[in-house]
Amino acid sequence: MSRLEAKKPPLFISEPLTTDAVSQSLSLLSGIFKSSYGPAGRLKQLHNGVGGCVCTTSQSSALLGHLSVSQPVLRVLTASVRNHVSRFSDCGLFTAILCCGFIENFRSLNVAPFTVIKISKHLLSLCMDHLKSEACGCRVSVDFSSVETLVCLVRSILTSKPACMLNKTEVDHLTSLVLKAFVFTVPCHVETNAVLGKCVVIPVKGRRVVDSTVLPGLLIEAPEIQLGKPLAVKRTGSNMIKIALFSVSMSGDGSNPEEGTIAVHHGVSLEVSELNQLLNVGKELVKDEVGLVVCQKVMHPSLKQYLKENGVVAVDRAGLSLMEPLGRVTGSQPIASIHSLSPGCYGSLKDLCIENFGSKPFLHLIPEDTVICSLILCNRSETAWDELKRVCETAEHVLQLTVKEPLALLGGGCTETHLASYIRHKSSSLPASTFKELGCSQTQYQLVADGFCRSLESVARSLSHDGEEVLTDVVYGHCWFVPPGSPCVSRWSDLVSKCGCGVNGNTEDLSWSFLQGQSGSPVLQGCPKEPSVKVADLRTLDCFAAKCSGLQVALETANLILDLSYVIEDQN
């Protein structure tokens, strides 16, 4: 009889934020996020310690996917940021840094958590109302009839991840490709419920980035296709190519458990029977004038040979990820059984040809009209390619979000410092009735507002990794960076030329001041002005929807963590 061990009582941890272990872990996690932020962010190398692949990145989705967080309190934080990234793809590090900043600044206040939460929610509503108003000085309208703003938005995303290792020529080339791919995914005929298409990324590693290209339609790797030989494919009477798409195995091994139990009579070969069934399917495909057969899984060599002899191109091992775009490109329905073929399942193509990228042969499926395209993405190393793929997918998603809400926010730390300046101005002129409604004193409100603004400014400061001095101006509330090692001068305008987003220059006296760590910036004389934004001046833009969501997620998560009074862990 096995020994029984007595159950251990659960572990109760009161006020978890006050424990040294949580404080140290939060500080470490915040340091990882801050040091990864922006175009000059430091790379992180992540591995599991027992072998396996090594991930080199500064991107939030990769960092959070590989980091192991043991503290339950911090797992709440990372889960919230992961959920935000899964929905918006962008502003993950912004959300994580801001959330850490809120927790660190709010918990040090001598104000009850319940009061902090109520005040911070009011401050958030002020921020959101300002961001959604026409008078907001850090908001930019995106005009889809002009490409300039879209170019700036995509370029900002591509240059934010140093692990991609791109030079200016490569950034410009990829920016145009991402925009071209996005245009391919927009339907030509707009209906009531228009659905954007999809860009499928085709990996080609070990080649130059400038060899990347984008093609309408879909590319399928076909290693058995011989290069240099013309592709003979059967066409219908209307000169179209009919396609059949199989999601079931066509290997003939009879190992499909979904089909149920098979009873085999004595003297009957199951293999021969399966092959005959497959060949009957092939005959029916030939009879129905099918010119291309694509199988998600494995196809029997004899069936391949039979189809080839009858002018039908056969491709197997297409994989699950291609099934959905294949269906959208061709209009075909995946066939889930070899025992019943319906003519209504077939799709069609305008043309089919062979393309060669990186010594790999591909079949290029060219439809009559499509919202699917293929981005052939090249990079010199596997690490750089993995990071570049994530960045290009993020850029595509951001463009899709921008279609729904054609707005962007100024980047380079300017939105954060502008919001901090706005909140400082706004909070200093609130009526007494506001404090009464919130159940707090004016002093408590100002303390929380100052912590809120310092948290926003800590995100802007996180863009500095090489000892740059970070400034803010009292006119527009924008963020400015002084190069490290600059000489002492009487005027800041001699050292700075453009603000972080590029909108403002040093042509006027903007009364710069240091963006200090804990003391914060001086309260402006008035509300920060709205600069005249010239698209040609823009250096950096951020996704409006992603950043607004990140701001809300960061505060809501911080408030949830601040409100925790106990952590109960099962010890068994």
Side-chain angles (χ1 to χ4, degrees), residues 126-155:
L126 291 178
C127 280
M128 298 310 297
D129 290 345
H130 181 59
L131 289 172
K132 292 177 181 179
S133 71
E134 294 290 335
C136 178
C138 57
R139 199 176 79 163
V140 177
S141 295
V142 177
D143 182 8
F144 278 86
S145 64
S146 172
V147 77
E148 288 178 305
T149 314
L150 296 173
V151 165
C152 183
L153 188 58
V154 173
R155 186 189 290 120

PDB file of all heavy atoms in Angstrom, residues 126-155:
ATOM      1  N   LEU A 126     -10.288  61.509 -18.577  1.00  0.00           N
ATOM      2  CA  LEU A 126      -9.812  62.785 -19.120  1.00  0.00           C
ATOM      3  C   LEU A 126      -8.892  62.549 -20.324  1.00  0.00           C
ATOM      4  O   LEU A 126      -8.980  63.253 -21.339  1.00  0.00           O
ATOM      5  CB  LEU A 126      -9.066  63.573 -18.040  1.00  0.00           C
ATOM      6  CG  LEU A 126      -9.882  64.137 -16.865  1.00  0.00           C
ATOM      7  CD1 LEU A 126      -8.945  64.846 -15.879  1.00  0.00           C
ATOM      8  CD2 LEU A 126     -10.961  65.084 -17.349  1.00  0.00           C
ATOM      9  N   CYS A 127      -8.008  61.562 -20.195  1.00  0.00           N
ATOM     10  CA  CYS A 127      -7.084  61.227 -21.294  1.00  0.00           C
ATOM     11  C   CYS A 127      -7.853  60.764 -22.531  1.00  0.00           C
ATOM     12  O   CYS A 127      -7.595  61.222 -23.652  1.00  0.00           O
ATOM     13  CB  CYS A 127      -6.120  60.118 -20.865  1.00  0.00           C
ATOM     14  SG  CYS A 127      -4.733  60.678 -19.874  1.00  0.00           S
ATOM     15  N   MET A 128      -8.797  59.839 -22.334  1.00  0.00           N
ATOM     16  CA  MET A 128      -9.523  59.280 -23.469  1.00  0.00           C
ATOM     17  C   MET A 128     -10.388  60.343 -24.144  1.00  0.00           C
ATOM     18  O   MET A 128     -10.478  60.378 -25.380  1.00  0.00           O
ATOM     19  CB  MET A 128     -10.389  58.102 -23.019  1.00  0.00           C
ATOM     20  CG  MET A 128      -9.600  56.930 -22.438  1.00  0.00           C
ATOM     21  SD  MET A 128      -8.215  56.381 -23.473  1.00  0.00           S
ATOM     22  CE  MET A 128      -9.081  55.844 -24.941  1.00  0.00           C
ATOM     23  N   ASP A 129     -11.023  61.204 -23.340  1.00  0.00           N
ATOM     24  CA  ASP A 129     -11.822  62.283 -23.929  1.00  0.00           C
ATOM     25  C   ASP A 129     -10.945  63.217 -24.748  1.00  0.00           C
ATOM     26  O   ASP A 129     -11.342  63.679 -25.832  1.00  0.00           O
ATOM     27  CB  ASP A 129     -12.533  63.085 -22.824  1.00  0.00           C
ATOM     28  CG  ASP A 129     -13.644  62.287 -22.151  1.00  0.00           C
ATOM     29  OD1 ASP A 129     -14.061  61.248 -22.711  1.00  0.00           O
ATOM     30  OD2 ASP A 129     -14.080  62.695 -21.049  1.00  0.00           O
ATOM     31  N   HIS A 130      -9.736  63.500 -24.238  1.00  0.00           N
ATOM     32  CA  HIS A 130      -8.816  64.380 -24.966  1.00  0.00           C
ATOM     33  C   HIS A 130      -8.334  63.726 -26.255  1.00  0.00           C
ATOM     34  O   HIS A 130      -8.306  64.379 -27.312  1.00  0.00           O
ATOM     35  CB  HIS A 130      -7.627  64.719 -24.065  1.00  0.00           C
ATOM     36  CG  HIS A 130      -6.633  65.636 -24.703  1.00  0.00           C
ATOM     37  ND1 HIS A 130      -6.953  66.898 -25.155  1.00  0.00           N
ATOM     38  CD2 HIS A 130      -5.305  65.470 -24.981  1.00  0.00           C
ATOM     39  CE1 HIS A 130      -5.887  67.471 -25.671  1.00  0.00           C
ATOM     40  NE2 HIS A 130      -4.872  66.626 -25.583  1.00  0.00           N
ATOM     41  N   LEU A 131      -7.978  62.437 -26.193  1.00  0.00           N
ATOM     42  CA  LEU A 131      -7.485  61.735 -27.383  1.00  0.00           C
ATOM     43  C   LEU A 131      -8.549  61.633 -28.467  1.00  0.00           C
ATOM     44  O   LEU A 131      -8.236  61.593 -29.664  1.00  0.00           O
ATOM     45  CB  LEU A 131      -6.995  60.330 -27.006  1.00  0.00           C
ATOM     46  CG  LEU A 131      -5.695  60.252 -26.200  1.00  0.00           C
ATOM     47  CD1 LEU A 131      -5.444  58.823 -25.732  1.00  0.00           C
ATOM     48  CD2 LEU A 131      -4.515  60.749 -27.014  1.00  0.00           C
ATOM     49  N   LYS A 132      -9.811  61.588 -28.060  1.00  0.00           N
ATOM     50  CA  LYS A 132     -10.899  61.430 -29.034  1.00  0.00           C
ATOM     51  C   LYS A 132     -11.493  62.764 -29.479  1.00  0.00           C
ATOM     52  O   LYS A 132     -12.421  62.783 -30.292  1.00  0.00           O
ATOM     53  CB  LYS A 132     -11.993  60.537 -28.445  1.00  0.00           C
ATOM     54  CG  LYS A 132     -11.526  59.091 -28.276  1.00  0.00           C
ATOM     55  CD  LYS A 132     -12.578  58.208 -27.632  1.00  0.00           C
ATOM     56  CE  LYS A 132     -12.043  56.775 -27.473  1.00  0.00           C
ATOM     57  NZ  LYS A 132     -13.013  55.876 -26.832  1.00  0.00           N
ATOM     58  N   SER A 133     -10.949  63.859 -28.970  1.00  0.00           N
ATOM     59  CA  SER A 133     -11.466  65.177 -29.356  1.00  0.00           C
ATOM     60  C   SER A 133     -10.678  65.730 -30.544  1.00  0.00           C
ATOM     61  O   SER A 133      -9.514  65.387 -30.758  1.00  0.00           O
ATOM     62  CB  SER A 133     -11.382  66.151 -28.173  1.00  0.00           C
ATOM     63  OG  SER A 133     -10.037  66.510 -27.914  1.00  0.00           O
ATOM     64  N   GLU A 134     -11.338  66.602 -31.297  1.00  0.00           N
ATOM     65  CA  GLU A 134     -10.695  67.214 -32.461  1.00  0.00           C
ATOM     66  C   GLU A 134      -9.544  68.123 -32.055  1.00  0.00           C
ATOM     67  O   GLU A 134      -8.624  68.368 -32.832  1.00  0.00           O
ATOM     68  CB  GLU A 134     -11.729  68.016 -33.257  1.00  0.00           C
ATOM     69  CG  GLU A 134     -12.828  67.175 -33.899  1.00  0.00           C
ATOM     70  CD  GLU A 134     -12.306  66.316 -35.044  1.00  0.00           C
ATOM     71  OE1 GLU A 134     -11.283  66.689 -35.646  1.00  0.00           O
ATOM     72  OE2 GLU A 134     -12.918  65.265 -35.312  1.00  0.00           O
ATOM     73  N   ALA A 135      -9.596  68.630 -30.817  1.00  0.00           N
ATOM     74  CA  ALA A 135      -8.576  69.580 -30.363  1.00  0.00           C
ATOM     75  C   ALA A 135      -7.307  68.906 -29.863  1.00  0.00           C
ATOM     76  O   ALA A 135      -6.357  69.590 -29.482  1.00  0.00           O
ATOM     77  CB  ALA A 135      -9.156  70.451 -29.247  1.00  0.00           C
ATOM     78  N   CYS A 136      -7.266  67.578 -29.870  1.00  0.00           N
ATOM     79  CA  CYS A 136      -6.103  66.854 -29.346  1.00  0.00           C
ATOM     80  C   CYS A 136      -4.869  67.172 -30.177  1.00  0.00           C
ATOM     81  O   CYS A 136      -4.872  67.025 -31.407  1.00  0.00           O
ATOM     82  CB  CYS A 136      -6.379  65.355 -29.345  1.00  0.00           C
ATOM     83  SG  CYS A 136      -4.990  64.366 -28.764  1.00  0.00           S
ATOM     84  N   GLY A 137      -3.802  67.580 -29.502  1.00  0.00           N
ATOM     85  CA  GLY A 137      -2.586  67.990 -30.199  1.00  0.00           C
ATOM     86  C   GLY A 137      -1.653  66.864 -30.579  1.00  0.00           C
ATOM     87  O   GLY A 137      -0.624  67.103 -31.214  1.00  0.00           O
ATOM     88  N   CYS A 138      -1.979  65.624 -30.180  1.00  0.00           N
ATOM     89  CA  CYS A 138      -1.079  64.512 -30.534  1.00  0.00           C
ATOM     90  C   CYS A 138      -1.768  63.498 -31.441  1.00  0.00           C
ATOM     91  O   CYS A 138      -1.287  62.388 -31.611  1.00  0.00           O
ATOM     92  CB  CYS A 138      -0.570  63.825 -29.263  1.00  0.00           C
ATOM     93  SG  CYS A 138      -1.845  63.213 -28.170  1.00  0.00           S
ATOM     94  N   ARG A 139      -2.892  63.900 -32.021  1.00  0.00           N
ATOM     95  CA  ARG A 139      -3.658  63.014 -32.890  1.00  0.00           C
ATOM     96  C   ARG A 139      -3.510  63.459 -34.339  1.00  0.00           C
ATOM     97  O   ARG A 139      -3.534  64.645 -34.636  1.00  0.00           O
ATOM     98  CB  ARG A 139      -5.127  63.051 -32.482  1.00  0.00           C
ATOM     99  CG  ARG A 139      -5.931  61.892 -32.976  1.00  0.00           C
ATOM    100  CD  ARG A 139      -7.354  61.963 -32.454  1.00  0.00           C
ATOM    101  NE  ARG A 139      -8.167  62.900 -33.205  1.00  0.00           N
ATOM    102  CZ  ARG A 139      -9.484  62.919 -33.181  1.00  0.00           C
ATOM    103  NH1 ARG A 139     -10.139  62.064 -32.418  1.00  0.00           N
ATOM    104  NH2 ARG A 139     -10.170  63.787 -33.893  1.00  0.00           N
ATOM    105  N   VAL A 140      -3.372  62.496 -35.233  1.00  0.00           N
ATOM    106  CA  VAL A 140      -3.197  62.782 -36.659  1.00  0.00           C
ATOM    107  C   VAL A 140      -4.251  62.005 -37.441  1.00  0.00           C
ATOM    108  O   VAL A 140      -4.429  60.804 -37.227  1.00  0.00           O
ATOM    109  CB  VAL A 140      -1.788  62.376 -37.147  1.00  0.00           C
ATOM    110  CG1 VAL A 140      -1.638  62.615 -38.642  1.00  0.00           C
ATOM    111  CG2 VAL A 140      -0.716  63.120 -36.374  1.00  0.00           C
ATOM    112  N   SER A 141      -4.939  62.679 -38.341  1.00  0.00           N
ATOM    113  CA  SER A 141      -5.898  61.998 -39.222  1.00  0.00           C
ATOM    114  C   SER A 141      -5.145  61.296 -40.347  1.00  0.00           C
ATOM    115  O   SER A 141      -4.200  61.849 -40.910  1.00  0.00           O
ATOM    116  CB  SER A 141      -6.891  62.999 -39.814  1.00  0.00           C
ATOM    117  OG  SER A 141      -7.691  63.558 -38.793  1.00  0.00           O
ATOM    118  N   VAL A 142      -5.563  60.081 -40.652  1.00  0.00           N
ATOM    119  CA  VAL A 142      -4.918  59.296 -41.712  1.00  0.00           C
ATOM    120  C   VAL A 142      -5.777  59.387 -42.971  1.00  0.00           C
ATOM    121  O   VAL A 142      -6.934  58.982 -42.972  1.00  0.00           O
ATOM    122  CB  VAL A 142      -4.745  57.826 -41.290  1.00  0.00           C
ATOM    123  CG1 VAL A 142      -4.138  57.011 -42.428  1.00  0.00           C
ATOM    124  CG2 VAL A 142      -3.874  57.738 -40.046  1.00  0.00           C
ATOM    125  N   ASP A 143      -5.184  59.941 -44.004  1.00  0.00           N
ATOM    126  CA  ASP A 143      -5.876  60.109 -45.281  1.00  0.00           C
ATOM    127  C   ASP A 143      -5.466  58.980 -46.217  1.00  0.00           C
ATOM    128  O   ASP A 143      -4.317  58.912 -46.655  1.00  0.00           O
ATOM    129  CB  ASP A 143      -5.513  61.477 -45.875  1.00  0.00           C
ATOM    130  CG  ASP A 143      -6.225  61.749 -47.195  1.00  0.00           C
ATOM    131  OD1 ASP A 143      -7.103  60.940 -47.563  1.00  0.00           O
ATOM    132  OD2 ASP A 143      -5.911  62.763 -47.850  1.00  0.00           O
ATOM    133  N   PHE A 144      -6.418  58.097 -46.528  1.00  0.00           N
ATOM    134  CA  PHE A 144      -6.092  56.941 -47.364  1.00  0.00           C
ATOM    135  C   PHE A 144      -5.970  57.300 -48.848  1.00  0.00           C
ATOM    136  O   PHE A 144      -5.603  56.456 -49.657  1.00  0.00           O
ATOM    137  CB  PHE A 144      -7.128  55.833 -47.169  1.00  0.00           C
ATOM    138  CG  PHE A 144      -6.869  54.988 -45.951  1.00  0.00           C
ATOM    139  CD1 PHE A 144      -7.342  55.361 -44.711  1.00  0.00           C
ATOM    140  CD2 PHE A 144      -6.122  53.818 -46.044  1.00  0.00           C
ATOM    141  CE1 PHE A 144      -7.088  54.600 -43.586  1.00  0.00           C
ATOM    142  CE2 PHE A 144      -5.857  53.055 -44.925  1.00  0.00           C
ATOM    143  CZ  PHE A 144      -6.344  53.432 -43.694  1.00  0.00           C
ATOM    144  N   SER A 145      -6.298  58.537 -49.189  1.00  0.00           N
ATOM    145  CA  SER A 145      -6.086  58.964 -50.567  1.00  0.00           C
ATOM    146  C   SER A 145      -4.645  59.404 -50.800  1.00  0.00           C
ATOM    147  O   SER A 145      -4.227  59.631 -51.934  1.00  0.00           O
ATOM    148  CB  SER A 145      -7.035  60.112 -50.916  1.00  0.00           C
ATOM    149  OG  SER A 145      -6.740  61.256 -50.126  1.00  0.00           O
ATOM    150  N   SER A 146      -3.885  59.536 -49.702  1.00  0.00           N
ATOM    151  CA  SER A 146      -2.469  59.884 -49.780  1.00  0.00           C
ATOM    152  C   SER A 146      -1.656  58.825 -49.045  1.00  0.00           C
ATOM    153  O   SER A 146      -2.062  58.334 -47.992  1.00  0.00           O
ATOM    154  CB  SER A 146      -2.219  61.263 -49.162  1.00  0.00           C
ATOM    155  OG  SER A 146      -0.841  61.524 -49.068  1.00  0.00           O
ATOM    156  N   VAL A 147      -0.506  58.495 -49.574  1.00  0.00           N
ATOM    157  CA  VAL A 147       0.272  57.388 -49.013  1.00  0.00           C
ATOM    158  C   VAL A 147       1.258  57.845 -47.934  1.00  0.00           C
ATOM    159  O   VAL A 147       1.796  57.014 -47.199  1.00  0.00           O
ATOM    160  CB  VAL A 147       1.018  56.651 -50.152  1.00  0.00           C
ATOM    161  CG1 VAL A 147       2.252  57.446 -50.601  1.00  0.00           C
ATOM    162  CG2 VAL A 147       1.405  55.245 -49.761  1.00  0.00           C
ATOM    163  N   GLU A 148       1.465  59.145 -47.788  1.00  0.00           N
ATOM    164  CA  GLU A 148       2.539  59.642 -46.918  1.00  0.00           C
ATOM    165  C   GLU A 148       2.370  59.226 -45.452  1.00  0.00           C
ATOM    166  O   GLU A 148       3.306  58.764 -44.816  1.00  0.00           O
ATOM    167  CB  GLU A 148       2.626  61.170 -47.015  1.00  0.00           C
ATOM    168  CG  GLU A 148       3.193  61.676 -48.334  1.00  0.00           C
ATOM    169  CD  GLU A 148       3.203  63.189 -48.389  1.00  0.00           C
ATOM    170  OE1 GLU A 148       2.132  63.800 -48.189  1.00  0.00           O
ATOM    171  OE2 GLU A 148       4.272  63.769 -48.634  1.00  0.00           O
ATOM    172  N   THR A 149       1.143  59.410 -44.923  1.00  0.00           N
ATOM    173  CA  THR A 149       0.916  59.068 -43.514  1.00  0.00           C
ATOM    174  C   THR A 149       1.035  57.570 -43.294  1.00  0.00           C
ATOM    175  O   THR A 149       1.578  57.112 -42.283  1.00  0.00           O
ATOM    176  CB  THR A 149      -0.478  59.550 -43.064  1.00  0.00           C
ATOM    177  OG1 THR A 149      -0.679  60.875 -43.517  1.00  0.00           O
ATOM    178  CG2 THR A 149      -0.603  59.509 -41.557  1.00  0.00           C
ATOM    179  N   LEU A 150       0.539  56.786 -44.247  1.00  0.00           N
ATOM    180  CA  LEU A 150       0.622  55.326 -44.136  1.00  0.00           C
ATOM    181  C   LEU A 150       2.074  54.863 -44.183  1.00  0.00           C
ATOM    182  O   LEU A 150       2.465  53.946 -43.455  1.00  0.00           O
ATOM    183  CB  LEU A 150      -0.180  54.666 -45.271  1.00  0.00           C
ATOM    184  CG  LEU A 150      -1.684  54.910 -45.267  1.00  0.00           C
ATOM    185  CD1 LEU A 150      -2.323  54.337 -46.528  1.00  0.00           C
ATOM    186  CD2 LEU A 150      -2.324  54.294 -44.029  1.00  0.00           C
ATOM    187  N   VAL A 151       2.873  55.508 -45.030  1.00  0.00           N
ATOM    188  CA  VAL A 151       4.302  55.175 -45.105  1.00  0.00           C
ATOM    189  C   VAL A 151       4.976  55.428 -43.767  1.00  0.00           C
ATOM    190  O   VAL A 151       5.752  54.592 -43.270  1.00  0.00           O
ATOM    191  CB  VAL A 151       4.993  55.995 -46.229  1.00  0.00           C
ATOM    192  CG1 VAL A 151       6.513  55.949 -46.088  1.00  0.00           C
ATOM    193  CG2 VAL A 151       4.585  55.463 -47.596  1.00  0.00           C
ATOM    194  N   CYS A 152       4.661  56.562 -43.142  1.00  0.00           N
ATOM    195  CA  CYS A 152       5.254  56.896 -41.845  1.00  0.00           C
ATOM    196  C   CYS A 152       4.828  55.884 -40.778  1.00  0.00           C
ATOM    197  O   CYS A 152       5.642  55.467 -39.948  1.00  0.00           O
ATOM    198  CB  CYS A 152       4.840  58.304 -41.424  1.00  0.00           C
ATOM    199  SG  CYS A 152       5.585  58.832 -39.876  1.00  0.00           S
ATOM    200  N   LEU A 153       3.573  55.468 -40.805  1.00  0.00           N
ATOM    201  CA  LEU A 153       3.064  54.512 -39.830  1.00  0.00           C
ATOM    202  C   LEU A 153       3.761  53.165 -39.955  1.00  0.00           C
ATOM    203  O   LEU A 153       4.218  52.582 -38.963  1.00  0.00           O
ATOM    204  CB  LEU A 153       1.548  54.358 -40.031  1.00  0.00           C
ATOM    205  CG  LEU A 153       0.765  53.549 -38.992  1.00  0.00           C
ATOM    206  CD1 LEU A 153       0.941  54.130 -37.596  1.00  0.00           C
ATOM    207  CD2 LEU A 153      -0.711  53.515 -39.368  1.00  0.00           C
ATOM    208  N   VAL A 154       3.894  52.675 -41.192  1.00  0.00           N
ATOM    209  CA  VAL A 154       4.542  51.373 -41.412  1.00  0.00           C
ATOM    210  C   VAL A 154       6.037  51.460 -41.102  1.00  0.00           C
ATOM    211  O   VAL A 154       6.602  50.565 -40.464  1.00  0.00           O
ATOM    212  CB  VAL A 154       4.309  50.888 -42.859  1.00  0.00           C
ATOM    213  CG1 VAL A 154       5.121  49.626 -43.141  1.00  0.00           C
ATOM    214  CG2 VAL A 154       2.833  50.634 -43.111  1.00  0.00           C
ATOM    215  N   ARG A 155       6.677  52.544 -41.537  1.00  0.00           N
ATOM    216  CA  ARG A 155       8.113  52.690 -41.286  1.00  0.00           C
ATOM    217  C   ARG A 155       8.407  52.741 -39.782  1.00  0.00           C
ATOM    218  O   ARG A 155       9.405  52.196 -39.312  1.00  0.00           O
ATOM    219  CB  ARG A 155       8.646  53.956 -41.953  1.00  0.00           C
ATOM    220  CG  ARG A 155      10.169  54.095 -41.860  1.00  0.00           C
ATOM    221  CD  ARG A 155      10.666  55.438 -42.335  1.00  0.00           C
ATOM    222  NE  ARG A 155      10.530  55.584 -43.778  1.00  0.00           N
ATOM    223  CZ  ARG A 155       9.814  56.530 -44.368  1.00  0.00           C
ATOM    224  NH1 ARG A 155       9.170  57.421 -43.633  1.00  0.00           N
ATOM    225  NH2 ARG A 155       9.757  56.602 -45.679  1.00  0.00           N
TER     226      ARG A 155
END
